[in-house]
Amino acid sequence: MANDDKFINIKVKRQDGPDAAPYWEEFNVPYKPNMNVVSVLMEVRKNPVNVQGKAVNPVVWECNCLEEVCGACTMLINGVPRQSCAALIDKIYEQTGFGKQIVLAPLTKFPVVRDLTINRERMFANLIRVKAWVPVDGSWAIARGPRFADREQRWAYIISRCMTCGCCQEACPNVSNKSKFIGPSHIAQVRLFNTHPIGEMHKEERLDALMYEGGIQECGNAQNCRKVCPKEIPLTNHIAFMNKETNKYAFRRWRYR
Amino acid sequence: MDKKSNFFLRRIHSLLAIIPIGIFLLFHLSLNTTVFFGGRETYEAVINFMKNMPLVLVLELVIIFLPITVHALYGLWIVYVAKNNALNYKYGNNWAFYLQRITALITIVFLVFHVYLQRFSVHEAEAVIDSLTSILHNPAFFILYAIGLLAAVYHFANGLFTFLITWGVTIGDHSQKICRYISLGLFVVLGVWGVGILTVIAGF
Ligand code: SF4
Ligand code: SF4
Ligand code: FES
């Protein structure tokens, strides 16, 4: 094989458990065309020997859909948060040069479970907090509800592609362990469900949640979130719109008090 | 809204920045513009006029001192909370965000000196101008003073851009981009204007 002598060199930030100290470990994986970061990690799992030739525990990471829709495989790849299933080695080399070391690290804004696996529970809890759903459950059958108007459906669909991957949260300077900011993705989700013809009936509850501690007010308009979102959700537009909505709502609520 | 929420505080913080602080900044620069016309005598007359305004102490307290103090103190908390990452994510807006925080700190230091030297340690119009010229005649201090002024002006111009988003005025990409350019233009205009004023005063 022509590629026999070529290697993909990766450097992984590892951590044996939630409270263990992190350390770096390098691996070489034989190069094949069309690999992605997930398949490189699978090779490491088959043969978990580091560059020093020492057999080690295989690297732990998460993945599921393998087509950039579940968000489970999100990690820092050369410092940028993205899905490792969608990170093609050849594409990375096009930018950095063939054979250049690829650095993998867990997201920094979430607790590490082990190696590259992180715990994104905070994001799910915050989705519950902002009531990111349409409440239609009942004990009897109901007829078909109203539908999105076409002009709204067009942009609302794009928000619905959010996979709670955490890239936007990772890049946002205002999401940190010093703040309780729910993050950009959730602000967009509120807009989605507040626009839904049935979801709209509960829109005040979501606005309340959005103005609670760690709510929309924590955004400082750095606009990184929008740049890193793999689903190309124009988060900054949705944040600005929800700024307007929450301001109006705050004023109205105060007048009626 | 829960009592625990800082939503209200954040919005007040944003509002104060423009009303009255931003307006005061423009007013301040406009008054100083008189140095371009008529030199030292006019400037002295203007300062005297200002100092003799009715209720000047109340105005200073309500329009200038309190809003700036509230904005600065809560702003320090905002600066502390952010985890800046401009080196990892080198986007223009992220740099602007980082600079907004750096200029915030510079402006606070500058204002403390500015207010102490030109407001509290001297009182007569003549003495105010003397205290200014003695600083500005020294090239090193001139540069420091200009940096302070540019920081304040940047913080205002860039703040205007984020203010429009915070209040939901600019929502789409296009309007945000146009306001980004306007804010940059404003920074350049105010910066040149302010340093021009300093240069003229340095020549007194
Ligand atoms: S625009 Fe707001 S939410 Fe997005 S990265 Fe900046 S601070 Fe975070
Ligand atoms: S908004 Fe985009 S970056 Fe953020 S969690 Fe959703 S898909 Fe990921
Ligand atoms: S495995 Fe689902 S996004 Fe990568």
Side-chain angles (χ1 to χ4, degrees):
Chain A
M1 238 166 64
N3 293 321
D4 252 4
D5 47 346
K6 292 188 196 153
F7 287 98
I8 296 168
N9 175 245
I10 59 168
K11 183 170 147 188
V12 185
K13 189 174 189 187
R14 308 197 57 178
Q15 186 169 328
D16 292 339
D19 301 315
Y23 58 95
W24 291 92
E25 196 152 64
E26 281 183 48
F27 297 91
N28 283 333
V29 170
Y31 172 82
K32 276 181 286 177
N34 300 325
M35 288 178 92
N36 58 15
V37 169
V38 165
S39 64
V40 170
L41 287 170
M42 284 173 165
E43 289 300 318
V44 172
R45 185 162 63 190
K46 272 193 225 158
N47 180 27
V49 174
N50 67 16
V51 284
Q52 283 82 27
K54 190 170 159 236
V56 293
N57 286 325
V59 177
V60 178
W61 84 101
E62 262 188 327
C63 64
N64 188 9
C65 69
L66 298 180
E67 53 178 356
E68 205 189 79
V69 292
C70 76
C73 67
T74 307
M75 59 183 71
L76 289 173
I77 300 173
N78 289 339
V80 182
R82 53 189 294 202
Q83 283 66 54
S84 47
C85 66
L88 301 176
I89 302 295
D90 294 327
K91 283 264 191 269
I92 295 175
Y93 282 165
E94 265 173 36
Q95 282 166 7
T96 62
F98 188 92
K100 190 93 195 287
Q101 182 173 69
I102 296 173
V103 182
L104 308 179
L107 296 187
T108 61
K109 302 281 172 81
F110 301 89
V112 174
V113 176
R114 185 168 178 179
D115 292 343
L116 301 171
T117 305
I118 49 149
N119 181 347
R120 287 180 298 158
E121 215 167 273
R122 189 184 74 227
M123 282 183 85
F124 304 124
N126 283 332
L127 280 178
I128 296 175
R129 175 179 139 185
V130 300
K131 300 190 164 51
W133 61 79
V134 176
V136 286
D137 282 351
S139 51
W140 60 90
I142 42 174
R144 249 193 114 87
R147 303 172 62 156
F148 267 107
D150 195 44
R151 64 173 189 285
E152 256 128 32
Q153 188 269 337
R154 248 172 271 154
W155 55 258
Y157 175 68
I158 298 176
I159 307 181
S160 76
R161 299 190 305 191
C162 173
M163 52 190 173
T164 328
C165 68
C167 285
C168 56
Q169 311 248 345
E170 177 70 21
C172 173
N174 284 331
V175 173
S176 78
N177 49 15
K178 285 180 278 184
S179 96
K180 293 208 160 67
F181 187 26
I182 55 171
S185 44
H186 292 50
I187 300 173
Q189 289 305 309
V190 169
R191 187 174 186 195
L192 170 67
F193 288 102
N194 276 7
T195 307
H196 187 284
I198 299 177
E200 200 194 342
M201 295 171 185
H202 296 256
K203 76 174 180 214
E204 282 82 8
E205 287 172 35
R206 295 191 198 92
L207 291 175
D208 275 328
L210 209 53
M211 293 153 63
Y212 187 69
E213 185 190 22
I216 189 171
Q217 67 274 13
E218 298 292 336
C219 166
N221 302 303
Q223 305 206 333
N224 290 349
C225 49
R226 197 241 173 95
K227 298 264 182 188
V228 298
C229 175
K231 293 296 166 189
E232 290 169 353
I233 302 172
L235 293 159
T236 48
N237 303 355
H238 298 315
I239 292 170
F241 182 84
M242 292 317 295
N243 272 332
K244 180 175 73 111
E245 291 294 293
T246 45
N247 292 344
K248 265 195 337 206
Y249 175 64
F251 190 53
R252 200 177 68 211
R253 197 174 47 182
W254 178 76
R255 282 191 305 148
Y256 281 87
R257 235 169 122 126
Chain B
M1 201 178 355
D2 202 85
K3 281 205 185 61
K4 258 164 69 193
S5 177
N6 56 346
F7 181 85
F8 219 60
L9 205 53
R10 275 301 280 249
R11 292 300 188 246
I12 294 282
H13 176 261
S14 166
L15 193 63
L16 284 180
I18 308 297
I19 309 166
I21 304 175
I23 293 174
F24 166 70
L25 176 71
L26 294 178
F27 178 69
H28 190 346
L29 279 173
S30 306
L31 270 186
N32 289 352
T33 307
T34 50
V35 301
F36 290 122
F37 319 99
R40 189 171 171 139
E41 286 74 43
T42 332
Y43 194 34
E44 241 178 74
V46 168
I47 296 177
N48 274 327
F49 169 74
M50 286 304 297
K51 292 217 176 253
N52 294 326
M53 248 161 60
L55 295 178
V56 67
L57 264 179
V58 179
L59 290 178
E60 277 181 322
L61 192 71
V62 175
I63 300 184
I64 310 174
F65 183 75
L66 285 178
I68 292 184
T69 311
V70 170
H71 184 84
L73 289 181
Y74 192 60
L76 280 175
W77 169 251
I78 297 177
V79 171
Y80 163 75
V81 163
K83 192 169 182 289
N84 279 293
N85 53 17
L87 289 176
N88 274 346
Y89 306 95
K90 299 182 174 118
Y91 312 123
N93 280 330
N94 198 26
W95 275 109
F97 174 89
Y98 190 31
L99 268 180
Q100 185 71 356
R101 278 137 188 82
I102 294 175
T103 54
L105 300 179
I106 298 177
T107 306
I108 292 178
V109 175
F110 172 64
L111 282 187
V112 168
F113 278 99
H114 181 58
V115 169
Y116 173 73
L117 291 174
Q118 271 81 54
R119 172 68 182 78
F120 285 109
S121 60
V122 287
H123 297 287
E124 299 304 311
E126 213 165 318
V128 172
I129 301 183
D130 283 341
S131 83
L132 259 178
T133 48
S134 67
I135 295 171
L136 297 177
H137 283 158
N138 180 326
F141 283 148
F142 183 94
I143 291 174
L144 284 181
Y145 218 83
I147 290 176
L149 182 140
L150 288 174
V153 163
Y154 174 88
H155 194 78
F156 169 64
N158 185 60
L160 203 56
F161 164 75
T162 57
F163 176 87
L164 290 173
I165 301 176
T166 302
W167 292 90
V169 177
T170 50
I171 293 176
D173 287 342
H174 184 73
S175 58
Q176 288 189 7
K177 198 168 75 200
I178 296 293
C179 287
R180 166 53 77 207
Y181 293 145
I182 291 178
S183 127
L184 277 176
L186 192 65
F187 167 59
V188 173
V189 170
L190 294 182
V192 171
W193 185 5
V195 174
I197 291 169
L198 292 185
T199 316
V200 173
I201 296 178
F204 282 170

